[in-house]
Amino acid sequence: MTRPLLEVRELRTHFSVGGRGFMRRKSVIRAVDGVSFSIHEGEVLSLVGESGCGKSTVGRTLTRLEAATAGTAMFDGRNILNLSPAEFRPLRRDIQMIFQDPFASLNPRLSIERALAEPLFIHKLVRDRWTARKRIAETLELVGMDAKSMSRYPHEFSGGQRQRIGIARVMILTPRLVIADEPVSALDVSIQAQVLNLLKKLQRDSGVSMLFVSHDLGAVRHISDRVAVMFRGKLVETGKKRQIFETPRHEYTRRLLESIPRIKGRVG
């Protein structure tokens, strides 16, 4: 088997809290405590667990939004956790993140055109505004948005439309790894399936690798190749999707699956 695109080993992200004032002691929150996994080219690995288990912190650590306490994260053979900000900056095009709240992730003062043009110019993928507009229009249409919407602002769109714009901003850079942090949990139930299907189609068509972070087991089952189950900062089970959902080995995984709501009896 070829070398994984991303190989994480013994990742730890700890936070110190307290310690202010007279005789107050510091305590340590072990949000991520010895997590190891790998993702191959074109693979979707879902990181699943209850709220507060540390799964979002894994994604934020890999994008350097949080500082790792220990461990390694080898991306295409380089440990991205040891790189300086200047050394990591060129890799930001390759490692992109879709955030949970689509409104908070978009600058309300920027039109959609400017929001999507900015990363193109930062990474020197275009040289002029005309080329940028052409690429933005193509990408918006790819995510199911009208190219005419690029002159509008984030507050003029629904939550589902804003998340499509957020996905467009990520995919316009043709990344190699996308970290999707609860990308549908802030959306109405009626819109979640649409955005999830869009993500699956874009991933399949582009071949991008993905770390899909979610507590929604239905979404995880729909999009994943493999699943990693996280509990209190640690991975308790990792396996292919079918194995995790049909023959879970760990007691916590079984309890998690049992928590999925089921409709009993006949309807109507």
Side-chain angles (χ1 to χ4, degrees):
M1 185 176 289
T2 58
R3 182 179 67 186
L5 175 65
L6 176 69
E7 189 166 11
V8 177
R9 289 290 173 262
E10 292 297 319
L11 179 65
R12 288 176 166 80
T13 307
H14 299 170
F15 301 100
S16 296
V17 296
R20 294 183 179 181
F22 181 68
M23 295 295 288
R24 291 191 63 180
R25 297 178 61 184
K26 282 187 178 181
S27 60
V28 176
I29 297 175
R30 302 176 186 273
V32 181
D33 199 24
V35 165
S36 299
F37 61 86
S38 61
I39 303 177
H40 285 81
E41 295 273 7
E43 182 182 39
V44 178
L45 174 70
S46 285
L47 192 57
V48 64
E50 61 194 24
S51 297
C53 70
K55 59 188 186 297
S56 290
T57 304
V58 171
R60 292 178 63 83
T61 302
L62 294 175
T63 51
R64 302 285 295 267
L65 296 176
E66 302 289 356
T69 303
T72 61
M74 306 299 293
F75 178 79
D76 202 19
R78 300 177 70 188
N79 183 10
I80 58 177
L81 302 183
N82 285 346
L83 299 179
S84 68
E87 291 171 329
F88 184 68
R89 193 171 297 119
L91 290 176
R92 290 194 179 278
R93 176 191 172 186
D94 292 328
I95 306 172
Q96 285 286 305
M97 191 165 188
I98 301 171
F99 293 94
Q100 178 177 356
D101 186 346
F103 189 69
S105 65
L106 295 170
N107 188 332
R109 297 186 178 184
L110 296 184
S111 67
I112 302 309
E113 179 183 351
R114 288 186 61 192
L116 270 65
E118 192 173 56
L120 291 176
F121 284 108
I122 287 174
H123 293 283
K124 300 179 180 178
L125 300 179
V126 296
R127 295 183 177 180
D128 54 70
R129 185 178 175 184
W130 184 88
T131 308
R133 283 180 61 86
K134 184 174 183 293
R135 187 156 174 176
I136 291 167
E138 293 171 347
T139 307
L140 285 173
E141 290 177 358
L142 195 65
V143 300
M145 297 288 294
D146 192 326
K148 296 178 181 178
S149 63
M150 68 172 73
S151 63
R152 297 163 63 189
Y153 288 79
H155 72 273
E156 299 180 70
F157 297 93
S158 67
Q161 290 173 322
R162 285 195 291 263
Q163 192 61 295
R164 287 175 183 269
I165 294 165
I167 293 169
R169 188 177 58 180
V170 165
M171 297 305 294
I172 202 169
L173 294 176
T174 60
R176 298 180 65 191
L177 174 67
V178 169
I179 298 173
D181 182 18
E182 300 274 13
V184 298
S185 65
L187 306 178
D188 292 340
V189 174
S190 59
I191 304 299
Q192 289 180 2
Q194 297 176 22
V195 174
L196 193 63
N197 285 332
L198 171 64
L199 277 175
K200 187 172 182 177
K201 183 180 186 302
L202 291 174
Q203 189 278 325
R204 184 178 62 244
D205 292 349
S206 67
V208 67
S209 303
M210 184 179 294
L211 178 63
F212 186 80
V213 179
S214 181
H215 69 278
D216 185 338
L217 292 170
V220 166
R221 189 165 197 165
H222 183 65
I223 202 170
S224 309
D225 295 308
R226 289 189 301 121
V227 179
V229 182
M230 196 166 178
F231 179 58
R232 294 182 179 177
K234 299 179 181 292
L235 289 187
V236 297
E237 186 169 0
T238 303
K240 292 184 178 180
K241 175 175 62 176
R242 185 171 181 178
Q243 179 263 307
I244 293 293
F245 278 89
E246 296 182 5
T247 56
R249 298 188 182 96
H250 197 277
E251 176 62 27
Y252 176 72
T253 307
R254 289 193 287 270
R255 294 204 311 267
L256 205 60
L257 292 171
E258 289 169 359
S259 70
I260 301 175
R262 291 175 174 83
I263 298 175
K264 296 181 179 179
R266 297 181 62 182
V267 178

